[in-house]
Amino acid sequence: MVTHIVDVPRTFCCVRGEEGRMRFAMTSGRAVGTVLIVIALVATLAGLVLPSDMLAGNRASAIARAAWQDDGKGTWKTEYGPLTAMDRDFLRKVRAAGLWELPAGRSAQERGTRKSVRIAGNHLVDGHTELDKRAVTAGRAMNVSLPTQPTGSQQEYLDDMEKAQGEEFDQVLVDHLRKQHGVVFGLVGLVRDQTKNSMIRSLATRANAIVLDHITVLEDTGLVNFEELNDVK
């Protein structure tokens, strides 16, 4: 029996091999393109389907985490439990808030042209008087140094209010106070969630209620520009 061996031209083999590689490359390219399109569609659908408040929550959480400063002193042991850098910063911020929001509240009581602004002033004075006492007590108990003067930005807020007259005063006061309460509200929630210190937890629990009350009465004035709140850093 004679076996015939077919000699396939080398050129033909090379052409067929090259065509195969080209087809594979084209197929791979189409596959990658399809994957990218699917990913883009999923991302678009997620943006349409997911509640906007979830996205807003992520943003608020990011702002809250960026709102505190690490003093570099680690965690302290206290009789009330471990005191972290975030706990100490929160304590200092509560004290600092009272140093400008108490004067702002008194100004609202005396200079507010709207009854709702004067009512907000009453809430500010009552709330920050309580929080200030709690912060000072906690600072002494756990040997945390606290500020005694408003920060540069806080003093600028007070200066803006001092310069404003009449209805402009109402607007300037509400603008500054509502924005800053929104920022600190996120930090209060973060501290309340994560602290292991009983004194800080108690302060954060009370601060949560008071700050929310202040946000509410400021919004009750009808002067809050909610669009501008998105520009707060």
Side-chain angles (χ1 to χ4, degrees):
M1 180 176 182
V2 179
T3 303
H4 296 280
I5 300 175
V6 179
D7 185 14
V8 179
R10 183 182 300 275
T11 302
F12 178 76
C13 290
C14 291
V15 171
R16 296 292 294 177
E18 191 65 30
E19 287 179 353
R21 285 193 292 271
M22 289 177 65
R23 288 196 185 98
F24 177 77
M26 291 174 66
T27 302
S28 298
R30 284 196 295 269
V32 171
T34 301
V35 171
L36 292 176
I37 291 172
V38 170
I39 291 174
L41 288 173
V42 171
T44 301
L45 289 173
L48 294 173
V49 174
L50 288 177
S52 60
D53 57 348
M54 283 182 66
L55 301 178
N58 291 337
R59 176 179 177 277
S61 178
I63 292 175
R65 291 180 183 280
W68 70 275
Q69 298 177 339
D70 189 345
D71 60 12
K73 297 182 179 180
T75 300
W76 301 355
K77 292 182 179 180
T78 77
E79 62 180 293
Y80 307 98
L83 186 72
T84 66
M86 184 172 70
D87 294 336
R88 293 190 296 275
D89 189 66
F90 168 69
L91 188 54
R92 293 179 180 120
K93 279 183 166 57
V94 172
R95 170 62 170 163
L99 293 175
W100 80 277
E101 292 179 26
L102 267 173
R106 295 189 185 104
S107 293
Q109 290 175 320
E110 299 168 3
R111 300 176 56 201
T113 64
R114 298 188 182 202
K115 181 179 179 180
S116 57
V117 172
R118 295 192 293 274
I119 290 174
N122 293 337
H123 283 246
L124 288 163
V125 170
D126 291 345
H128 283 290
T129 296
E130 177 186 341
L131 289 179
D132 192 67
K133 290 180 180 178
R134 284 174 173 263
V136 170
T137 298
R140 289 173 178 168
M142 295 184 286
N143 198 30
V144 178
S145 60
L146 301 177
T148 57
Q149 297 293 330
T151 66
S153 297
Q154 292 168 345
Q155 187 58 55
E156 287 180 7
Y157 302 151
L158 291 173
D159 292 342
D160 289 345
M161 295 175 204
E162 183 65 27
K163 296 173 184 175
Q165 299 296 324
E167 294 182 355
E168 182 188 7
F169 165 80
D170 293 349
Q171 188 65 63
V172 170
L173 177 136
V174 170
D175 284 347
H176 284 318
L177 286 168
R178 176 58 183 84
K179 286 179 182 178
Q180 297 310 310
H181 274 79
V183 172
V184 76
F185 192 51
L187 178 60
V188 172
L190 183 64
V191 172
R192 178 61 184 81
D193 175 60
Q194 296 190 5
T195 187
K196 297 178 181 178
N197 185 286
S198 61
M199 183 168 277
I200 294 296
R201 186 180 303 113
S202 176
L203 177 61
T205 298
R206 189 66 186 124
N208 185 73
I210 290 175
V211 173
L212 180 58
D213 171 69
H214 291 176
I215 288 175
T216 301
V217 293
L218 288 167
E219 291 174 350
D220 287 344
T221 64
L223 296 173
V224 174
N225 185 330
F226 290 96
E227 293 299 324
E228 290 186 357
L229 295 179
N230 293 327
D231 296 330
V232 178
K233 299 293 189 289

